[in-house]
Amino acid sequence: MWEEDVRLMREAGVNVVSVGIFSWARLQPTADTWDFGWLDDVLGLLHEGGVGVDLATATASPPPWLTTAHPEVLPVTATGETLWPGARQHWRPTSPVFREHALRLVRTLAERYKDHPALVAWHVSNELGCHNVYDYSDDAARAFREWLRERYGTLDALNDAWGTAFWSQRYSAWEQILPPRLAASHPNPTQQLDFKRFSSDALKDYLRAERDLLREITPDVPVTTNFMVMGNTKGMDYADWAEEIDFVSNDHYVHPGPQDRDELSFSANLTSGISGGRPWFLMEHSTSAVNWQPVNVAKRPGELARDSLLHVAHGADAVCFFQWRQSAAGAEKYHSAMVPHAGADSDLFRAVAELGATLKTLAPVAGSEREPAKVGIVHDWDSWWASEQDSHPTALLRYRQEALDWYSALLRLGIRADLVTTRSDLRRHQVLIAPVLHVVPADLAKTLTRYTEQGGHLITTYFSGVVDEHDHVWLGGYPGALRDLLGIRVEEFGPLLAGDSVELDDATTGTLWTDRITVTADDTDVLVRYRTGEQAGRPAVTRRPSGRGTAAYVSTRLGVDGLAALLPRLLAPAGVESELPAEARGSVEPVVRRGPEGRFLFLVNRTDDAVPVPGLDGEVLLGDTGDDGALILGPRAVAVLRQPAS
Ligand code: GLA
C-alpha cells in the first residue's frame, strides 16, 4: 500500500506530508521497547518519491501501557471526572510524568532522524488543547497557583484582582486556591478568566518544552505545531503562541451554514494576522466531508479547489489535508481523505490531482506576504474569553459571530479587511473595527486614542471598553475605557430577549443589545437613532472627531445586512471603497499578496454562478477570460492576476 501511496502522491503533485502524528503506541509498544522499522521504511519511500516529511513528535496520544502505569497523567474535568483512555489526547498539560515520557520519545525520535534527508520540519504533538485545554486536576491546581504567584506576586494583589471581598472568597494562603471546579453557583469571574489565560499558557509551556528539545538536537529543522483558528475554538490564544514556532500552521474545517466560506476566509485571514502577514502552512483541511459534525456534508464540485485556494489567497504556502488515505477502521473512518475508500479511480482523487497541478502554476505566489488592507478588524482572545462568561447582561452574546458579521458585511461590499490582533501594528490600517472589544486595559485605551488622534478611524461596538484586564468594570458610565474618546455615556445596558428586535431610523434592525446613550461631547454626531423600543429617539450609532481621525460606536447588533447598509457611512471619512468593478462587488472576494515575484490579486467567486470581472490589469496566472479578454470567474472559481510588484 505504501508504494502505491507514494506513486499516487507523485501523480497528485504531493511534495510534503505529515507523518506519525498518532504513532506513539506503534513506535514504543512498551516502556522499554521501540519499533522504528516501519517508520524507517515510510520515510525512505517518501524520500525516494521526492516527498518531504513534516515529522510528528508522535506525543499527541499516550499509549495504554503509559496510562495504565501512570493514571495520574489523565485529565480531570471541572466536575471531577477522569478522562479515560479510549479516544485521544488524554493527558494533563501540566503533568510532570507525561512530560517526562513524552520528551523521552521526542529525544529518541530526533536523535534517530536528525540527519534523515526526508525531514523538512518537526510537527509538535497535534492540535494542542483540542480535547484537553481545561484540566482541573491536582497537577493543574499546583501549576495554576505557581502561575498566579508569578502574575500577582502577593496574595493581597490576587485578592484585589479577583474581587474576593465579594461572597467571602478572600484567600489567606496560596494553597487554598483551586481551578474553577464545579461550584454551588458561578465561580469568581476573574478566577475563571485567569484560569483560561493559565490554561493557554500551560499548553504553550508544553509546546516550548518539545520545541526546545528539538532545537537542541536539530537546530536547523523548523518547528511548528498545528493551530485551530476556526469556528469557536477559543481555548488557545494563538496570537500569543505564534512567536514560539518557526512558522505558523493551521487546521481549518468548514462548518456548513450561510456564512461558512466567509468563516473560512475569516479564519485564514486571522491566521495570516497571527503570522504577521507572512506565509503560513495549511496543515489540515478536508477534501470533502468530516466525520464529527451532526451531518457531515460532502463538498460540492469546485469547493475542494476553492476552499484550498482561498487559504492560499490569505497566505497559505502549503495546502495539506487530513488525511492522505481514508481509513478502513478507527474513529475517523468516515472522514474524507485525498484517497477515499473508493480509491484513486474517483472524482475526489482526480480533483485532488487537479489541485496539485493548479498549485504548481501558482508557484510564483509562494513566499509573498499579505498586502495590508485599509481596514483592519481586531480579534482579541481576552475579550472573547471575558465577554462570553456567565452572569453578564446577556448569555446570548457571541464574540466571534459579531466579528464575522462585520467581515461578511465588508465582503458584501467587496472591501478588503485584515484580521489583526491587539499585538499588531494597528497604524497600518486607516480604519480599525473592534467588535465587542470588551477588555480594554488603560494602555490599550491610550493606544486607540492615539490611533484616532493620528488620523485613524476607530469603529467599536456594544459591550466594548467595559472592563480592565482584571475584569473590573471601568466606573462612571459605560464604555468606561472609551467613554471620553467616543463622547458618549451609557448608564444602563438594554439587552434584548431572544427573538426581540428594535427598528432604527435608517431602516436597519437591531437585535441582542441596545444601549441607553447620552451624548457627552458637543462634537459627537448621532448617525442613527433607535426608532422603536425603550431607546426610541435616542442615539444608536455615534461618531466623534478625535484629532485627525474619528471614533464611532455601534450600540446594537445589526447583523450582516444592517452592517452592509451602515458601513459606507462609517467608511466615508477614511475614503475606503471597493477595488472591484461594481458588477463583481459582493460576488467576488478580492485578496492581495505581494512579493518579489509580483502583486498577486486573488479573485474568489463566492457564488455558484459565473461572474465577469472586467477592467482589472495583470497577467492571468490562473483563470479564464472571455472573447473580449475580460476575466470571467466560473462558479466557485478562483482567478489570480499577477501585477507589477511596485
Ligand atoms: C483535527 C485533527 C485530525 C483529525 C481532524 C478531523 O484536525 O488534527 O487528527 O481528527 O481534526 O477533522
Side-chain angles (χ1 to χ4, degrees):
M1 177 78 80
W2 290 342
E3 287 81 356
E4 171 69 353
D5 283 340
V6 176
R7 187 185 68 74
L8 291 173
M9 286 176 187
R10 295 179 65 84
E11 188 176 314
V14 172
N15 56 13
V16 65
V17 296
S18 300
V19 178
I21 291 173
F22 290 99
S23 299
W24 193 341
R26 276 204 69 176
L27 292 166
Q28 191 182 6
T30 69
D32 305 316
T33 57
W34 301 92
D35 171 12
F36 288 108
W38 65 274
L39 186 55
D40 295 346
D41 293 347
V42 169
L43 296 191
L45 284 168
L46 289 168
H47 183 58
E48 284 159 28
V51 181
V53 173
D54 165 44
L55 186 55
T57 57
T59 56
S61 216
W65 61 260
L66 175 54
T67 52
T68 304
H70 295 285
E72 69 275 21
V73 306
L74 298 171
V76 177
T77 67
T79 49
E81 293 127 333
T82 297
L83 296 181
W84 294 100
R88 67 178 181 182
Q89 211 173 54
H90 41 292
W91 52 276
R92 298 175 187 177
T94 58
S95 163
V97 172
F98 176 84
R99 189 170 298 196
E100 176 202 339
H101 285 275
L103 294 184
R104 183 178 172 219
L105 170 59
V106 174
R107 177 176 293 281
T108 308
L109 269 171
E111 294 290 2
R112 183 179 187 86
Y113 295 110
K114 61 187 176 185
D115 300 319
H116 198 290
L119 180 62
V120 297
W122 285 109
H123 184 111
V124 169
S125 189
N126 190 69
E127 293 193 336
L128 288 167
C130 182
H131 311 298
N132 65 341
V133 60
Y134 298 129
D135 166 40
Y136 298 81
S137 68
D138 290 341
D139 280 328
R142 210 174 1 263
F144 187 33
R145 290 185 203 113
E146 287 163 19
W147 185 88
L148 290 168
R149 275 183 194 273
E150 185 69 29
R151 182 178 177 86
Y152 293 110
T154 67
L155 269 179
D156 283 348
L158 175 126
N159 280 309
D160 178 57
W162 284 17
T164 54
F166 203 81
W167 280 7
S168 177
Q169 296 177 352
R170 185 166 189 78
Y171 295 99
S172 55
W174 290 97
E175 291 63 44
Q176 297 160 3
I177 299 172
L178 295 169
R181 292 170 177 161
L182 176 68
S185 179
H186 302 303
N188 178 294
T190 313
Q191 177 193 18
Q192 290 189 61
L193 181 55
D194 273 346
F195 185 69
K196 292 181 177 78
R197 291 164 171 158
F198 154 75
S199 298
S200 178
D201 282 356
L203 285 165
K204 180 177 73 172
D205 182 62
Y206 176 82
L207 164 59
R208 282 175 171 164
E210 285 205 19
R211 176 207 63 194
D212 291 348
L213 183 50
L214 291 167
R215 284 183 174 166
E216 174 200 316
I217 299 168
T218 55
D220 301 324
V221 178
V223 178
T224 191
T225 193
N226 44 345
F227 291 176
M228 294 170 282
V229 177
M230 74 174 124
N232 282 316
T233 303
K234 74 181 197 181
M236 289 65 71
D237 180 348
Y238 291 126
D240 179 46
W241 289 20
E243 56 254 29
E244 304 299 337
I245 45 184
D246 293 304
F247 61 92
V248 170
S249 56
N250 196 50
D251 296 351
H252 183 275
Y253 292 93
V254 171
H255 289 66
Q259 291 173 273
D260 57 19
R261 266 51 188 202
D262 290 2
E263 193 281 328
L264 186 161
S265 177
F266 180 99
S267 294
N269 193 322
L270 177 55
T271 303
S272 179
I274 287 165
S275 183
R278 290 178 296 280
W280 46 278
F281 198 107
L282 178 64
M283 187 63 77
E284 296 180 21
H285 76 135
S286 67
T287 56
S288 189
V290 295
N291 66 301
W292 39 267
Q293 293 172 353
V295 176
N296 295 289
V297 177
K299 289 192 178 183
R300 298 174 300 168
E303 288 185 330
L304 182 157
R306 181 183 62 179
D307 291 351
S308 303
L309 295 173
L310 187 46
H311 284 291
V312 172
H314 283 287
D317 269 4
V319 175
C320 295
F321 295 87
F322 171 79
Q323 54 201 321
W324 164 251
R325 183 182 287 273
Q326 197 166 0
S327 311
E332 297 185 303
K333 56 182 178 293
Y334 291 115
H335 192 295
S336 63
M338 298 168 82
V339 181
H341 286 145
D345 180 13
S346 58
D347 290 345
L348 196 151
F349 181 73
R350 282 185 282 273
V352 165
E354 187 180 342
L355 174 67
T358 300
L359 290 175
K360 280 202 180 83
T361 67
L362 294 181
V365 175
S368 59
E369 300 199 354
R370 167 161 95 174
E371 179 183 277
K374 291 180 177 175
V375 179
I377 299 177
V378 179
H379 182 285
D380 177 52
W381 262 269
D382 250 9
S383 291
W384 191 1
W385 290 334
S387 64
E388 293 186 355
Q389 292 199 153
D390 56 68
S391 317
H392 274 196
T394 177
L396 304 179
L397 184 150
R398 293 294 172 268
Y399 174 85
R400 203 178 198 258
Q401 185 58 55
E402 185 59 44
L404 181 58
D405 284 351
W406 282 89
Y407 191 74
S408 289
L410 287 159
L411 288 173
R412 178 93 55 90
L413 299 170
I415 292 173
R416 287 194 291 133
D418 289 349
L419 262 296
V420 295
T421 71
T422 50
R423 297 159 186 270
S424 309
D425 179 1
L426 304 178
R427 293 165 302 172
R428 300 184 78 174
H429 307 283
Q430 285 90 317
V431 177
L432 211 49
I433 299 171
V436 191
L437 189 65
H438 184 58
V439 177
V440 178
D443 59 348
L444 179 56
K446 291 193 185 85
T447 300
L448 294 174
T449 302
R450 198 166 44 251
Y451 166 79
T452 58
E453 288 170 347
Q454 292 171 353
H457 300 279
L458 173 69
I459 302 166
T460 190
T461 72
Y462 59 90
F463 216 32
S464 295
V466 172
V467 297
D468 66 14
E469 62 275 24
H470 301 309
D471 198 32
H472 290 193
V473 173
W474 289 103
L475 300 179
Y478 314 119
L482 303 173
R483 195 174 56 230
D484 297 341
L485 171 59
L486 293 163
I488 63 170
R489 182 168 178 268
V490 176
E491 292 181 22
E492 191 174 32
F493 301 128
L496 299 176
L497 292 170
D500 283 0
S501 62
V502 291
E503 298 307 313
L504 280 64
D505 66 8
D506 67 349
T508 59
T509 301
T511 61
L512 181 83
W513 191 286
T514 65
D515 276 329
R516 188 169 187 77
I517 296 173
T518 303
V519 166
T520 56
D522 297 341
D523 55 1
T524 302
D525 293 328
V526 177
L527 301 184
V528 184
R529 290 182 183 276
Y530 291 102
R531 195 171 57 77
T532 66
E534 292 305 307
Q535 323 301 348
R538 299 181 73 95
V541 178
T542 63
R543 176 166 61 209
R544 174 171 176 267
S546 169
R548 291 184 283 111
T550 60
Y553 184 75
V554 180
S555 66
T556 183
R557 178 163 183 244
L558 291 174
V560 180
D561 295 342
L563 292 173
L566 177 65
L567 267 162
R569 296 177 69 187
L570 293 178
L571 298 175
V576 172
E577 292 183 351
S578 173
E579 304 153 270
L580 292 172
E583 54 264 63
R585 291 174 192 173
S587 307
V588 175
E589 176 181 350
V591 192
V592 180
R593 293 181 63 172
R594 177 191 291 272
E597 301 287 324
R599 180 180 191 267
F600 301 98
L601 172 58
F602 284 74
L603 299 160
V604 182
N605 188 347
R606 302 173 65 223
T607 75
D608 298 340
D609 306 310
V611 177
V613 191
L616 294 176
D617 301 327
E619 169 204 354
V620 179
L621 209 53
L622 178 68
D624 299 316
T625 55
D627 300 342
D628 59 357
L631 203 58
I632 293 185
L633 280 179
R636 304 180 202 136
V638 176
V640 181
L641 295 181
R642 173 154 66 176
Q643 302 164 333
S646 54

